[in-house]
Amino acid sequence: MLGKLIKHEFKETYKTFLLLYVAILFLSVVNLGFNELGDGTNGLMMIVEVLFMIAFVLCAFFLSTISLVLIVIRFYKNLLGDEGYLMHTLPVKKSSLIISKWIVAAVWTVCSIVMVILSIFILVGREVPWGKMFDFIGKVYNGYDGMMTLTIVGFLCIMISVMSQLMLIYASMAVGQIWQKHRVLGAFLSFFAINMATQTVTSQITAVFMASNAEKLNNKFEHIVATNAGFIDGLTSIGDFLTAYLSLSAILLLAFCVLYFFICNYFMTNRLNLE
């Protein structure tokens, strides 16, 4: 049943997001064409070029923000608003409803980020010294054996962070809906309260981690300077530290994501208060 919910959610949302993706890619290609063909002497052409560039910037901004807005509105309307009376009569667990929304929202959020980055690369790609960049990346990967591990851990940390933030928003709305007359205010207050609590825990754990590793890292750098060890040893020390830090961050984010899910599921199962 979860698969059917996910399929239905994609079916209901893909048109809006695909339209936004096509728009930003079209504007990036058009602006690239103006950059290649424009000579800076035709006044009308310069005005059109500026207008298209403004449209591209606005589209990139809206794609970065409207994705989250659409995700929030859809969750609220489908599960906490008038449509909730129908959704909650389906023969599925509340957890399945939450997870289906969450997975689809995470996919669209990641796709939106990728599309913004891709459109920027299309626009300014020719200005980037790709040869030097790839040479440097190759030197880093060849110099540090753990670079692939660091890359994977960093990618997972970003993905878990996106999914954790989405679940935090869902949990905040689930808690906020118990204030019948002040749902939006309740959701905002819940978001800041939950986020502040988790940030406090995170900062305390991070402080302990930093305190236990700062001296080790400092000693390694003192050894590198004293022995003139060079780039590779310094890269290894930094890479090992970053891998450990990002691994800790990913674990914390995953734990908080599970906590947010249980909060959301509890309030939607036991304290549901539809409009």
Side-chain angles (χ1 to χ4, degrees):
M1 192 64 184
L2 178 60
K4 293 182 179 179
L5 290 172
I6 294 173
K7 182 179 179 180
H8 174 75
E9 189 68 15
F10 273 121
K11 185 178 179 181
E12 292 295 314
T13 56
Y14 82 94
K15 292 182 180 179
T16 301
F17 285 98
L18 286 184
L19 181 62
L20 290 171
Y21 298 158
V22 170
I24 194 169
L25 288 177
F26 170 76
L27 290 171
S28 63
V29 172
V30 170
N31 278 286
L32 177 63
F34 278 121
N35 291 339
E36 295 295 324
L37 300 176
D39 56 7
T41 58
N42 189 318
L44 179 60
M45 184 67 70
M46 289 180 64
I47 293 174
V48 175
E49 181 178 350
V50 169
L51 291 176
F52 269 100
M53 180 57 71
I54 293 174
F56 170 78
V57 173
L58 290 176
C59 188
F61 172 77
F62 282 121
L63 183 56
S64 303
T65 56
I66 202 170
S67 298
L68 181 60
V69 173
L70 291 174
I71 288 167
V72 170
I73 291 175
R74 181 159 183 81
F75 182 87
Y76 182 85
K77 288 179 63 178
N78 283 177
L79 300 182
L80 302 176
D82 292 339
E83 296 178 14
Y85 287 101
L86 175 61
M87 294 296 294
H88 290 291
T89 59
L90 295 175
V92 295
K93 295 180 179 179
K94 299 293 189 295
S95 58
S96 296
L97 294 173
I98 297 168
I99 291 173
S100 64
K101 300 286 184 185
W102 177 56
I103 291 176
V104 174
V107 170
W108 289 130
T109 301
V110 173
C111 287
S112 297
I113 294 172
V114 171
M115 293 304 296
V116 171
I117 295 174
L118 177 61
S119 65
I120 293 174
F121 273 138
I122 291 174
L123 187 59
V124 301
R126 295 191 63 179
E127 306 297 327
V128 178
W130 295 109
K132 293 181 179 179
M133 181 181 295
F134 285 124
D135 287 342
F136 176 76
I137 293 174
K139 184 178 180 181
V140 170
Y141 271 85
N142 291 330
Y144 177 45
D145 294 336
M147 193 63 200
M148 183 58 68
T149 302
L150 176 58
T151 303
I152 294 173
V153 171
F155 174 77
L156 289 175
C157 191
I158 293 172
M159 294 296 296
I160 296 172
S161 177
V162 170
M163 301 187 79
S164 180
Q165 286 299 309
L166 288 172
M167 191 57 73
L168 170 58
I169 294 172
Y170 288 171
S172 301
M173 287 192 287
V175 176
Q177 55 88 32
I178 65 176
W179 284 282
Q180 182 67 38
K181 296 183 179 179
H182 305 284
R183 288 168 169 257
V184 176
L185 177 61
F188 273 105
L189 292 176
S190 300
F191 178 87
F192 285 114
I194 298 172
N195 190 52
M196 184 178 297
T198 54
Q199 288 298 320
T200 301
V201 174
T202 301
S203 62
Q204 294 298 319
I205 296 176
T206 302
V208 173
F209 172 83
M210 290 294 186
S212 62
N213 287 273
E215 186 175 353
K216 296 179 182 178
L217 187 64
N218 184 58
N219 291 337
K220 288 182 180 180
F221 275 108
E222 287 181 352
H223 173 73
I224 291 170
V225 173
T227 60
N228 195 25
F231 173 77
I232 300 302
D233 286 341
L235 179 64
T236 300
S237 299
I238 295 174
D240 291 343
F241 175 80
L242 286 176
T243 301
Y245 176 76
L246 290 175
S247 298
L248 175 63
S249 299
I251 293 171
L252 289 174
L253 287 168
L254 184 59
F256 289 139
C257 186
V258 173
L259 174 64
Y260 302 150
F261 168 75
F262 279 115
I263 292 173
C264 185
N265 187 58
Y266 171 80
F267 277 90
M268 288 189 60
T269 303
N270 301 295
R271 302 290 300 277
L272 187 62
N273 186 19
L274 297 176
E275 290 183 334

